[in-house]
Amino acid sequence: VVAGKRSGKKQVFKLRTALGREIEATANHPFLTMNGWKKLGDLTVGDAVAIAKPDVYWDRIVSIEPAGEQETYDLSIDGNHNFLANDFVVHNSHAASFALIAYATCWVRKHYLAEFTASLLNAQPMGFYAPAQIVGDAQRHGLEIRPIDVEASEWDCTLEPAGGELRFAVRMGLRWVKGMQLAEGGAIVEARRERAFDSIEDFVRRTHLPMRMQTALAEAGALGALVRERRDALWQVTGWVVRQGDPDRK
């Protein structure tokens, strides 16, 4: 065991064998039986489980009883192998679980790249790949990533119809504007649902966002549908915020 971490309180059971072996484990813990690997929850009295000390032999289960809720832990094992717990042969189930997750992930990524990419971006931060890596990899595999746009973006990344084999493109969400809060993104979406923005002035007046957020949107290129050049957009939003008579909103 190279590492261990808490996985919370769970219902555990005490398993006893005819030769006096005992172990406490959760219902999902796998044991080696004469019919292959079985979870404790699928075992019954009379089943034979593998014991190793020093040779491997079969020991009959005589009882499985609830042992209450207890703190449980996930263990990281060095390498991919099985191990012994109280002389019972138990499975390195972490490796099997990760293999299943890896297979499912690859399948979804292959067949539903747009949905997979949008979901990953909306689930950030995850502590694995940076958003730029996720976007870059998707683009290299032919997915169109559309920029943040106050006229089209929701808070989360969304799917938009597109031509080609993938059928969808991913529209980046307002959540990816640096410093934007959920309430600020909601203000943009709500104002847009009333009617589309027809100018920078209209956008500034109806969203009531602070100066810092207006400039962040301009710098991110999110006002491109209203003003093509980012520098022009930055000048215009700054001017219109001041003209509202609220230059100190920061």
Side-chain angles (χ1 to χ4, degrees), residues 15 17 19-23 31-32 49-59 83-90:
L15 181 153
T17 68
L19 296 178
R21 304 293 179 188
E22 292 186 359
I23 189 171
F31 291 79
L32 181 59
V49 292
I51 301 293
K53 191 178 182 180
D55 298 322
V56 176
Y57 57 92
W58 302 107
D59 196 356
F83 59 100
L84 301 180
N86 291 10
D87 299 332
F88 290 85
V89 180
V90 292

Side-chain angles (χ1 to χ4, degrees), residues 69-169:
E69 287 194 349
Q70 297 182 27
E71 285 288 349
T72 58
Y73 300 84
D74 287 328
L75 304 180
S76 298
I77 308 301
D78 188 12
N80 182 18
H81 51 260
N82 303 319
F83 59 100
L84 301 180
N86 291 10
D87 299 332
F88 290 85
V89 180
V90 292
H91 198 292
N92 186 359
S93 57
H94 300 280
S97 297
F98 278 118
L100 180 60
I101 292 171
Y103 173 81
T105 299
C106 290
W107 191 91
V108 173
R109 179 180 172 278
K110 170 65 177 176
H111 297 284
Y112 297 94
L113 181 59
E115 294 89 337
F116 177 78
T117 301
S119 297
L120 274 184
L121 291 170
N122 291 338
Q124 298 298 312
M126 296 175 63
F128 296 101
Y129 298 105
Q133 290 176 291
I134 297 171
V135 169
D137 179 75
Q139 289 175 319
R140 286 190 293 273
H141 286 84
L143 181 64
E144 180 186 357
I145 304 292
R146 295 175 180 172
I148 304 168
D149 185 346
V150 296
E151 290 281 28
S153 293
E154 300 290 331
W155 173 252
D156 283 330
C157 298
T158 54
L159 302 182
E160 295 180 350
E165 182 181 351
L166 296 176
R167 299 182 296 116
F168 293 104

Side-chain angles (χ1 to χ4, degrees), residues 67 123 205 211 244:
R205 290 188 184 280
M211 175 79 81
Q244 286 186 101

Side-chain angles (χ1 to χ4, degrees), residues 13 15 25-33 35-44 47 49 61 64 90-91 93 96-97 100:
F13 299 85
L15 181 153
T26 63
N28 288 326
H29 203 92
F31 291 79
L32 181 59
T33 75
N35 296 313
W37 293 102
K38 282 190 176 182
K39 295 178 181 178
L40 189 153
D42 296 327
L43 295 174
T44 59
D47 287 342
V49 292
I61 298 173
I64 301 174
V90 292
H91 198 292
S93 57
S97 297
L100 180 60

Side-chain angles (χ1 to χ4, degrees), residues 199-205 209-215 218 223 227 230-249:
S199 65
I200 291 289
E201 177 187 4
D202 182 45
F203 177 80
V204 171
R205 290 188 184 280
L209 298 177
M211 175 79 81
R212 62 166 181 80
M213 205 64 259
Q214 300 281 7
T215 55
L223 301 176
V227 180
R230 296 189 186 193
R231 180 172 294 182
D232 289 344
L234 185 59
W235 279 104
Q236 287 194 41
V237 294
T238 302
W240 283 114
V241 170
V242 172
R243 291 182 191 184
Q244 286 186 101
D246 195 11
D248 294 324
R249 293 177 71 186

